[in-house]
Amino acid sequence: MSLAFESTLLERPSDFELEQIERQIQSDLSLRVHNFRLQACDDGLILEGRTKTYYGKQIIQHAVMDATNFPILANNIVVDRQIVSASSTTAVMHQ
């Protein structure tokens, strides 16, 4: 996976940069992440959202690490195996 936005800054990303990262990760990992948000503090980022697996949580964290050098303070992405992906819902509706 390659993110279109990459930053080499160690300073807090701007709100615009955070929105770009959020959109890119949501687009690239749409089947793995739901309601993804980044919260920026002065000293790092907090990841929020939902995913079905711990592997998905790890992939999302690494995508953020690839997109910015700003430290991640917490990965608060909730693992919820009950999440139904859009493709699963579509398949059930067509049966």
Side-chain angles (χ1 to χ4, degrees), residues 10 13 17-18 20 24 30 34 40 42 45 71-72 79 81 83:
L10 291 178
E17 290 169 326
L18 289 174
Q20 282 185 312
Q24 190 65 46
S30 62
H34 302 272
D42 289 337
L45 299 173
I72 295 174
V79 176
R81 296 187 187 277
I83 295 174

Side-chain angles (χ1 to χ4, degrees), residues 4-85:
F5 178 81
E6 290 191 28
S7 172
T8 57
L9 302 175
L10 291 178
E11 61 191 42
R12 183 190 184 281
S14 69
D15 290 341
F16 178 74
E17 290 169 326
L18 289 174
E19 289 173 15
Q20 282 185 312
I21 295 168
E22 286 175 358
R23 277 195 304 272
Q24 190 65 46
I25 289 174
Q26 188 71 49
S27 173
D28 289 350
L29 301 173
S30 62
L31 296 177
R32 292 198 185 272
V33 65
H34 302 272
N35 303 321
F36 178 69
R37 299 289 302 162
L38 286 172
Q39 293 216 356
C41 303
D42 289 337
D43 52 349
L45 299 173
I46 299 172
L47 286 57
E48 297 179 345
R50 300 173 74 78
T51 189
K52 286 178 75 168
T53 66
Y54 286 99
Y55 179 68
K57 181 175 180 169
Q58 186 177 27
I59 293 293
I60 297 159
Q61 179 172 326
H62 280 272
V64 172
M65 290 166 50
D66 288 344
T68 181
N69 289 330
F70 202 55
I72 295 174
L73 299 177
N75 183 343
N76 291 341
I77 295 174
V78 175
V79 176
D80 181 357
R81 296 187 187 277
Q82 301 301 316
I83 295 174
V84 178
S85 67

Side-chain angles (χ1 to χ4, degrees), residues 31 84-95:
L31 296 177
V84 178
S85 67
S87 60
S88 298
T89 305
T90 304
V92 169
M93 292 172 49
H94 286 82
Q95 291 181 352

